Amino acid sequence: MKIGIFSKYKESADRFNYYHGSPCKIMKIIDELNKLFDFEYYINDYSKKYDAAIVDRINPQKKILSNNILGIFETKIKKSFATKFCSISPSIPVGKDTFTLLNYCHGVKINPIDLSKNRSNGVFLGRLDSMSEYKINFLNKNKFNLDIYPIKYWTKSGILRFTGNTPESIKNLKFLQSKFSRSIVRPPVNHKYLYKKLNSQGYKYGFVPSIYHFNKNKIQIESSSKFFEYIGSGIPVLIESRVPEAKIVRNNPFLGEVFDSKAALISAANKLEKNNYNYKKILDFAHKNHYPKSRAIKIYKNFIKDIINDK
């Protein structure tokens, strides 16, 4: 079987050579698909004919030579070039020929027996905008401490980046530190070491705010990849109700606390700080349900299986 992979991401021999908060990487899923059945794949090659093609959140540059095309979308599904469709956001409704393909835990697995027993404070990973900055400062003003591992920070003059340990990234880290009173801004950690690092720090909770202000009556449709990084480290989440993955927490309350207002945020943060959660249960849940293998199985069942049966 021959499969075409079309993505804006290049293939890397080291599948973990990325940083936290990055979008779903299709190649880890392809690796797991290869364990389910035999196939050869080609990346961004429009010249070949394929038994199946997977398009990962891009508009194809040319016509894809296949009668079976799975389109993966960040949020809203656009039924144009594909024959089957999925979104990585649990907020997007599904119907005929559509399914949800959630984001997943990107890091190297940690062993449950190594989970930290001494825990304190919270953690925030990923991209920072005005709303996440506002909400972290709100927690700081209410005497909650967080460590911040930033990837990008939006300013009026452009985007600040923090990876690479360059003079510019060090300067940007110092600038960002000046924005917070009770938070420590730390250098980003790539996926090879991220979960080990987060576990060794012994955080009580991972913060997942929405992109909207508390007084805005809007629901976020964009998936939050940081949610999966936290549970992949065995850390309970402090997640805003507008974030799509809050639904997962409501259905599995052992994963953490959901808040929908300033008062509820403080109450939930207090609960997470003062109580011990079943960190092993959180990690086991992540290992079982939210790694690339489970995403590969979903693509196989919803897309590949019928193609194999028709051959």
Side-chain angles (χ1 to χ4, degrees), residues 55 58-60 64 69-71 73 78-83 85:
V55 182
I58 62 167
N59 288 317
I64 297 172
I69 303 173
L70 174 64
F73 298 89
K78 301 173 183 177
K79 296 188 176 182
S80 54
F81 58 84
T83 58
F85 318 86

Side-chain angles (χ1 to χ4, degrees), residues 259-270:
F259 67 93
D260 59 5
S261 65
K262 286 184 177 181
L265 170 56
I266 298 306
S267 176
N270 266 316

Side-chain angles (χ1 to χ4, degrees), residues 15 34 59 105 163 225 230 238 251 256 259:
R15 301 298 200 218
N34 245 325
N59 288 317
C105 303
T163 59
S225 58
Y230 298 145
L238 174 58
N251 292 335
F259 67 93

Side-chain angles (χ1 to χ4, degrees), residues 28-33 35-36 101 104-105 109 287-300:
K28 289 178 186 173
I29 298 176
I30 297 303
D31 289 344
E32 294 297 330
L33 270 176
K35 297 174 185 177
L36 300 177
L101 187 75
Y104 63 81
C105 303
K109 286 184 178 181
H287 284 180
K288 181 180 179 181
N289 299 289
H290 295 293
Y291 266 80
K293 180 180 179 180
S294 63
R295 306 304 181 253
I297 291 172
K298 194 151 194 182
I299 288 178
Y300 181 83

